Amino acid sequence: MKIKPRKTPYSLTGRLLWTIGALMAVVSTIFWYFLITYQEKELIANFVKYGMSFVDNVRKTTRYGMLTFQEILIQQTVEAVGSTEGVVQIKIFNCKGKVAHSSQKKDIGIILDSKSPACLACHPPDKSHTFTPRWSIGKSEEGFRVLNIVQPIYNEPACYTSACHVHPKNRKILGLVEANLSLALLDRAINQQSLAITIYVFVFLSVISVVLCAILWKFVSTPVSILAEGMKRVAAGDLEHKVEINTRDEMGELAKCFNSMTSDLSRAKTELIEWGHTLERKVEEKTEAIKKAQEQLIQSEKLASLGRMAAGVAHEINNPLTGVVTFGHLLLKKFPEGSEERQDIEVIIEQANRCSNIIKGLLGFSRATSAEKGGENINTLLKRSLDIMSHKADFFDVKFITRLDESLPLVKAGGLQLQQVFLNMILNAVDAMDGKGTLTISTRNIMENGLAFAEIEFADTGCGISEENMTKIFEPFFTTKPVGKGTGLGLAVSYGIIKDHGGNIIVKSEVGRGASFYIRIPIG
């Protein structure tokens, strides 16, 4: 389909034409004005030079008559020169302002007004008395312009030494020569040249305008109209439409970008359609996941209630254990050293104290965690956690290896919170090994990005973590354990506690060969 560019004044081409045309018209008008003005000044300046030379020639041709005091000769010379074409009038004045000779005899004997150009040559308003030639332009009665030139007649040695009429030596000017030259021919030439320049500027503007219109139409208006039509078709849903602008300029680049955009939109539309086909299935999957999360939340609430109940039972058990230990010590006093009965009672006291310590650890862990952070010994917290967990029947087939760095400094942390993290790590490791295997716990000092950290490593020999699950293990309620055995909150809570301490948890695992969890807590 052939695209027709817009021709209205509000189109891009119309605005460009109006703007550039107006700018060119203004610039051309200014150029035309200055060119004509400059030309006129140059012509007048040349004509003034010619006029000065002409008046000087008059003065020279009359010099002999003045030196010999032949007034008839001077008058004849003035009349002869004054009859030349373009000469309006020639006058010679004496030092008193009286017309001594003139190409028009009727003016002879007239005394000039003090404000006339001839008088101002000797008596300027500023009284500078420079006695320099002067010129001015006026208008004749016939309407054409006239160039008026006045030159002084200087007192030369031949004048003040002449025998016929001696002038005082100190007099500088003896008279004046005034010539009025017609500028009619010059004005006609200026008008003709002005007309020629005007025609030239008009033709130049016309040619430039036509060329500019053709350029804008071909390289701006037509491509823009094609792009606009393409945008309309794409907006209407035709994403397969392609814009055909095969140029190497910005319009061609814009067309390529436009075609690339429509291709991307077409692909995106296809993907959206495909996504719409699978959206219902994904919604069902998410709904099932939400149901599982709700079940896990209910289970975690049950476990929390069970924990509170267990804490209460442990507290109640602790009281009779205290009585057993107390009465055991009383019985020790009734049997002599080395007797079999005394040894049995010591075993009873030892086991009762052991039970009491386990219950104290459980009670301390079950209490609400304090937000206050103090200096904590990582190794001590690990040993306390192992004391609590190592007596469980599920742990009897698990081998615990500890490699604790005794030079590890104290860290600013919440002790109960870290103990909760350590217990979660131990429980997860034992579950991953199905209750049998080796759990290695190590501590060490490390430097990372110029900062000191205490690193705790939990390395088990369990089944490991798949690459697919590696990115999900810290998500709340995510678990690979059977339903009813895990809540999926342990690692998520632990991760949050360590992040709150400014640390991090790093996981490395290989399926079938176990997993290693590295907990890093900043020192200081």
Side-chain angles (χ1 to χ4, degrees):
M1 183 176 66
K2 189 175 181 181
I3 305 298
K4 292 184 178 181
R6 296 175 61 190
K7 300 180 180 180
T8 64
Y10 303 103
S11 64
L12 178 62
T13 304
R15 292 183 178 182
L16 286 174
L17 287 174
W18 279 109
T19 303
I20 298 175
L23 180 63
M24 291 180 58
V26 171
V27 173
S28 299
T29 302
I30 295 173
F31 172 76
W32 170 82
Y33 172 77
F34 280 105
L35 182 63
I36 290 179
T37 304
Y38 174 78
Q39 184 186 36
E40 182 178 359
K41 287 182 179 179
E42 286 295 313
L43 289 175
I44 290 177
N46 292 331
F47 200 84
V48 168
K49 289 181 181 179
Y50 161 75
M52 291 292 184
S53 177
F54 174 79
V55 173
D56 187 61
N57 187 51
V58 171
R59 183 174 57 81
K60 288 179 179 179
T61 55
T62 58
R63 182 172 181 273
Y64 178 77
M66 291 181 180
L67 289 176
T68 58
F69 200 63
Q70 299 182 41
E71 293 187 359
I72 296 175
L73 178 61
I74 296 173
Q75 180 62 29
Q76 290 176 347
T77 303
V78 169
E79 290 178 1
V81 175
S83 62
T84 306
E85 183 181 3
V87 178
V88 177
Q89 188 177 13
I90 298 175
K91 297 178 183 178
I92 297 178
F93 302 89
N94 60 21
C95 59
K96 294 181 180 180
K98 181 179 179 181
V99 179
H101 303 280
S102 174
S103 59
Q104 298 179 6
K105 293 183 178 181
K106 61 184 180 63
D107 293 332
I108 297 174
I110 297 175
I111 298 175
L112 295 180
D113 182 37
S114 60
K115 295 181 180 180
S116 64
C119 291
L120 291 176
C122 292
H123 308 284
D126 56 1
K127 300 181 179 180
S128 57
H129 297 283
T130 54
F131 306 108
T132 57
R134 292 175 178 268
W135 65 273
S136 62
I137 295 177
K139 215 165 190 181
S140 68
E141 296 178 356
E142 289 79 7
F144 56 84
R145 292 194 299 171
V146 175
L147 174 64
N148 177 267
I149 298 177
V150 179
Q151 280 193 6
I153 300 175
Y154 297 102
N155 189 11
E156 301 176 0
C159 293
Y160 57 74
T161 58
S162 175
C164 58
H165 55 288
V166 178
H167 298 286
K169 185 177 181 181
N170 58 356
R171 180 179 294 176
K172 294 182 178 181
I173 293 179
L174 301 178
L176 299 170
V177 177
E178 180 185 34
N180 291 324
L181 305 177
S182 173
L183 296 179
L185 294 176
L186 180 65
D187 289 343
R188 193 177 302 114
I190 291 174
N191 291 334
Q192 291 176 351
Q193 291 193 9
S194 298
L195 179 61
I197 292 172
T198 302
I199 294 173
Y200 168 76
V201 170
F202 178 76
V203 172
F204 172 77
L205 279 175
S206 300
V207 173
I208 291 296
S209 299
V210 171
V211 174
L212 183 62
C213 288
I215 292 174
L216 289 176
W217 186 268
K218 180 176 178 60
F219 295 108
V220 177
S221 184
T222 300
V224 168
S225 299
I226 294 173
L227 286 169
E229 182 63 24
M231 291 293 290
K232 290 179 181 178
R233 296 186 63 173
V234 170
D238 184 8
L239 297 180
E240 301 301 325
H241 178 70
K242 300 296 181 183
V243 173
E244 299 295 336
I245 301 178
N246 301 317
T247 58
R248 297 182 180 180
D249 54 11
E250 289 80 357
M251 290 297 179
E253 292 294 327
L254 186 59
K256 291 179 182 178
C257 294
F258 179 84
N259 293 333
S260 176
M261 178 193 70
T262 55
S263 299
D264 293 341
L265 287 174
S266 180
R267 285 194 298 268
K269 182 180 179 181
T270 303
E271 292 176 359
L272 284 174
I273 293 173
E274 293 176 355
W275 174 255
H277 293 158
T278 59
L279 183 59
E280 185 176 353
R281 178 176 55 83
K282 291 183 178 293
V283 169
E284 291 177 355
E285 292 177 357
K286 291 298 181 182
T287 303
E288 186 65 25
I290 291 173
K291 288 181 180 179
K292 290 181 179 179
Q294 289 176 341
E295 293 174 357
Q296 290 171 344
L297 278 174
I298 294 172
Q299 184 66 18
S300 64
E301 184 62 28
K302 291 179 180 178
L303 291 175
S305 300
L306 182 61
R308 290 191 292 270
M309 183 179 69
V313 173
H315 186 272
E316 294 298 327
I317 293 174
N318 192 44
N319 292 331
L321 283 176
T322 302
V324 171
V325 172
T326 301
F327 284 103
H329 282 288
L330 293 175
L331 286 173
L332 282 177
K333 297 178 181 180
K334 295 181 179 182
F335 298 97
E337 292 286 344
S339 63
E340 185 176 349
E341 291 81 359
R342 188 180 180 92
Q343 291 177 357
D344 293 338
I345 293 172
E346 288 177 348
V347 171
I348 293 172
I349 293 173
E350 180 182 355
Q351 295 301 320
N353 283 329
R354 184 178 175 187
C355 292
S356 180
N357 289 333
I358 293 173
I359 290 171
K360 287 179 181 178
L362 287 172
L363 288 172
F365 177 70
S366 64
R367 294 190 183 99
T369 303
S370 174
E372 296 182 0
K373 298 176 182 178
E376 297 290 342
N377 189 310
I378 297 293
N379 294 336
T380 301
L381 293 176
L382 284 170
K383 292 175 182 177
R384 192 180 301 163
S385 301
L386 286 172
D387 287 340
I388 294 174
M389 305 298 294
S390 61
H391 302 294
K392 291 184 65 177
D394 297 342
F395 291 14
F396 289 162
D397 294 330
V398 177
K399 182 180 180 181
F400 291 94
I401 299 175
T402 56
R403 297 171 182 168
L404 307 181
D405 186 355
E406 297 300 331
S407 65
L408 201 66
L410 299 179
V411 297
K412 187 176 181 181
L416 294 178
Q417 288 183 319
L418 290 186
Q419 189 175 352
Q420 179 182 354
V421 173
F422 298 157
L423 289 173
N424 283 331
M425 292 296 170
I426 296 170
L427 283 171
N428 287 340
V430 173
D431 288 340
M433 296 185 294
D434 289 331
K436 51 186 176 182
T438 302
L439 175 60
T440 303
I441 303 176
S442 308
T443 60
R444 61 184 70 90
N445 290 305
I446 66 166
M447 296 293 293
E448 186 179 63
N449 298 328
L451 301 176
F453 289 87
E455 183 178 76
I456 307 98
E457 177 186 358
F458 295 86
D460 62 63
T461 57
C463 60
I465 305 171
S466 66
E467 186 176 352
E468 179 184 357
N469 293 332
M470 188 70 75
T471 58
K472 304 177 183 178
I473 58 176
F474 293 115
E475 294 181 3
F477 307 115
F478 175 79
T479 180
T480 58
K481 298 176 183 178
V483 177
K485 191 173 182 181
T487 62
L489 292 172
L491 283 177
V493 172
S494 300
Y495 186 80
I497 291 173
I498 297 303
K499 280 294 183 180
D500 183 59
H501 283 73
N504 193 17
I505 301 179
I506 301 172
V507 185
K508 295 180 181 179
S509 179
E510 185 176 348
V511 177
R513 301 190 64 179
S516 296
F517 285 78
Y518 299 86
I519 298 175
R520 294 177 180 177
I521 303 173
I523 297 174

